[in-house]
Amino acid sequence: MRVVENPAINPGHDGEMYRVKSESDCEMMHQEDQMDSPVGDDGSSGGSPHRGGGPPLKKGPWTSAEDAILVDYVKKHGEGNWNAVQKNTGLFRCGKSCRLRWANHLRPNLKKGAFTPEEERLIIQLHSKMGNKWARMAAHLPGRTDNEIKNYWNTRIKRCQRAGLPIYPASVCNQSSNEDQGSSDFNCGENLSSDLLNGNGLYLPDFTCDNFIANSEALSYAPQLSAVSISSLLGQSFASKNCGFMDQVNQAGMLKQSDHLLPGLSDTINGALSSVDQFPNDSEKLKKALGFDYLHEANSSSKTIAPFGGALTGSHAFLNGTFSTSRTINGPLKMELPSLQDTESDPNSWLKYTVAPAMQPTELVDPYLQSPTATPSVKSECASPRNSGLLEELLHEAQGLRSGRNQQLSVRSSSSSVSTPCDTTVISPEFDLCQEYWEERLNEYAAPFSGNSLTGSTAPVSAASPDVFQLSKLSPAQSPSLGSGEQAMEPAYEPGAGDTSSHPENFRPDAFFSGNTTDSSVFNNAIAMLLGNDMNTDCKPVFGHGIVFDTSPWSNMPHACQMSEEFK
DNA sequence: AATTGAGACAACCGCCCTTAA
DNA sequence: CTTAAGGGCGGTTGTCTCAAT
């Protein structure tokens, strides 16, 4: 454990460490009539320009003398009225700084030191429910400050991203999911759902990020799926609150309309490309290894335009747990999707989570997918630079990709004539990041991939080889669980049909998407649906083993329930 | 021994909300 | 009703420490 240094003990911290960058709220609130600073002799006070003739407010690390003054003041006057601290004590600190110092370091009952495993688990669980509501999370962790939690989380995010590990362990997600079924005292969903709906004038069921988070596992068993499918299939990006979710749906709908330009899954590929481009190093390897060099070129324009912005682009953004759920809807959607599940889960967990026993209909992804498409007249009023030019850029990329995709398809040895989502997963950079993780998991769990193990390759790129990934290439005999393309196109799930239900792979989302679908229209329709195609179409795509997305916005729920019930 | 990168931590910045004048 | 102060909160930045190379 790292010993927290007292800045007062470490003179090197003092004085010049922090410099005034701009006028802050503190300076705006600066009071005059200051006496000489009681800590003025530490040589570190001042330095910040000030207005109104008052003494400069000190910035930077607090000294022990300042701490003592502040503590003494709070003892006498209590918390609050922080600006009065400066007036009454002569402490050359703005009220906000005083409050922060007190709250984070000086107040009693603060728990110092590293988080305990229990606390860590709780933080993860809380974050899965609340998002970046540090203060609220801190309320559940006595003695811990929001800043501590925030720092911890940010560090964790970085670590997970670097390692390609899931942000949310499956156990935590599952727990959150189960708790969501009851009355959750966290009740984050209200915020998120309201964020979802604010400004849209549209009603959506109380579909919250909580549920989405928890149950996104159903789609995120395989990291590549979360990397590409979630982000790209769901329209790549969900708008900020200001933009409104439906604006994005609208964009997705426009994308669908552009499908005549981009037959098949070009937009899906685009999603993958956006993802790939976030990882210059890895993506380059992947692209070259897969003969995707053209992808780089096709997507090159996006590099300068960066239409999605960092947060909205592709897969890795989904892993970024640092976002404000209260500010943007893309936050919870973009990242709180656990890309895969964690080591803490039991060996069967992925099955358990994939078909979450307590899964509610509204917790499935399809609430998004089937949200009524906004009419074209619903123009996006989004002024966020993040989303400016999104559609145009997508189209541009897609056009550039179209030729490239054909080229790619000709190279591929797949029997499929259409690029499936599985194809896109091949170039998912996250798999590269996660490969080692999955190798461990799969080896550890002796997963039913033994004959087609993901662990078979050593080089990250080779893992992306069709042989490794494309379970769809397995014959039904080899992989009865995956079924044939015909199976994938069955109109509805029949619980009694076949005995595949007992096979866990049947419910892996990647299995869903990697079926030997030879009819491109199936995927076209599926993607159209995913992209928020209008609800009046007769589009009735069937995924994998009979999850029927009915034309009625919410009428497919029973099917989902059915599936869930079936595999409890 | 020097370098580098990750982790931990502290503090500031800026936005937003509440409230009182 | 308006406005500004006060305060809360989330995001970001900068520095230090330490371990690995």
Side-chain angles (χ1 to χ4, degrees), chain A residues 54-375:
Chain A
L57 289 175
K58 186 188 173 189
K59 291 190 175 184
W62 281 64
T63 66
S64 56
E66 289 175 309
D67 285 344
I69 293 171
L70 182 58
V71 168
D72 185 62
Y73 173 85
V74 174
K75 282 180 180 177
K76 291 178 180 175
H77 301 91
E79 299 182 41
N81 199 11
W82 295 109
N83 283 332
V85 176
Q86 185 190 19
K87 295 177 182 176
N88 297 332
T89 67
L91 194 59
F92 288 171
R93 295 279 184 173
C94 72
K96 295 180 84 168
S97 184
C98 292
R99 181 184 63 83
L100 204 64
R101 182 67 182 174
W102 173 259
N104 288 340
H105 301 282
L106 301 179
R107 67 182 165 93
N109 303 324
L110 271 182
K111 196 185 294 182
K112 288 294 184 181
F115 287 104
T116 66
E118 290 73 21
E119 287 175 321
E120 292 180 357
R121 188 184 304 274
L122 182 56
I123 289 172
I124 296 168
Q125 185 180 345
L126 289 169
H127 192 276
S128 73
K129 291 180 163 298
M130 297 177 176
N132 295 1
K133 297 296 181 183
W134 313 119
R136 290 176 62 189
M137 292 167 70
H140 292 272
L141 290 159
R144 298 297 187 177
T145 68
D146 55 352
N147 210 33
E148 273 184 294
I149 298 170
K150 181 170 56 181
N151 286 333
Y152 166 79
W153 187 259
N154 289 338
T155 300
R156 173 187 166 82
I157 290 297
K158 281 194 288 186
R159 187 168 56 238
C160 289
Q161 284 185 334
R162 194 171 6 255
L165 296 174
I167 293 174
Y168 298 110
S171 56
V172 172
C173 289
N174 186 50
Q175 189 175 352
S176 300
S177 175
N178 291 336
E179 287 177 1
D180 284 342
Q181 309 317 312
S183 59
S184 171
D185 55 340
F186 303 133
N187 197 19
C188 152
E190 60 192 18
N191 299 339
L192 299 167
S193 58
S194 63
D195 283 345
L196 257 177
L197 302 176
N198 275 348
N200 292 323
L202 294 169
Y203 170 77
L204 287 173
D206 191 14
F207 170 74
T208 71
C209 98
D210 297 0
N211 300 329
F212 191 87
I213 291 164
N215 295 291
S216 63
E217 294 182 37
L219 289 177
S220 62
Y221 165 75
Q224 64 269 29
L225 265 179
S226 70
V228 175
S229 299
I230 298 300
S231 58
S232 59
L233 297 187
L234 295 184
Q236 287 261 344
S237 61
F238 290 89
S240 68
K241 176 171 70 177
N242 292 336
C243 290
F245 166 69
M246 292 312 297
D247 291 331
Q248 296 301 308
V249 175
N250 194 26
Q251 290 177 342
M254 295 170 72
L255 273 178
K256 168 57 174 61
Q257 292 174 10
S258 70
D259 201 29
H260 67 281
L261 291 175
L262 318 166
L265 297 171
S266 52
D267 38 6
T268 302
I269 293 176
N270 258 349
L273 292 175
S274 299
S275 304
V276 168
D277 274 352
Q278 293 186 344
F279 303 85
N281 297 331
D282 294 330
S283 64
E284 279 304 314
K285 291 188 294 184
L286 289 168
K287 289 172 182 174
K288 290 181 179 177
L290 298 170
F292 284 173
D293 283 339
Y294 72 93
L295 296 179
H296 182 274
E297 298 170 4
N299 204 34
S300 59
S301 61
S302 66
K303 289 189 169 181
T304 53
I305 299 176
F308 302 150
L312 294 177
T313 309
S315 63
H316 216 57
F318 278 77
L319 282 176
N320 177 13
T322 57
F323 63 92
S324 171
T325 55
S326 66
R327 294 168 185 261
T328 62
I329 189 56
N330 54 318
L333 293 174
K334 78 178 184 222
M335 86 44 292
E336 294 190 337
L337 304 172
S339 60
L340 60 151
Q341 295 320 318
D342 163 73
T343 66
E344 299 174 48
S345 59
D346 65 83
N348 297 321
S349 62
W350 69 265
L351 170 62
K352 180 169 65 181
Y353 297 128
T354 301
V355 187
M359 185 181 292
Q360 295 295 317
T362 55
E363 294 171 1
L364 296 175
V365 176
D366 41 286
Y368 280 128
L369 312 183
Q370 300 206 2
S371 298
T373 302
T375 63

Side-chain angles (χ1 to χ4, degrees), chain A residues 418-435:
Chain A
V418 64
S419 175
T420 69
C422 185
D423 294 329
T424 68
T425 66
V426 168
I427 57 177
S428 168
E430 277 203 13
F431 180 80
D432 188 359
L433 295 173
C434 298
Q435 182 196 0

Side-chain angles (χ1 to χ4, degrees), chain A residues 529-540:
Chain A
M529 179 72 76
L530 286 166
L531 290 177
N533 194 16
D534 71 79
M535 309 311 300
N536 297 324
T537 66
D538 291 330
C539 174
K540 198 170 183 177

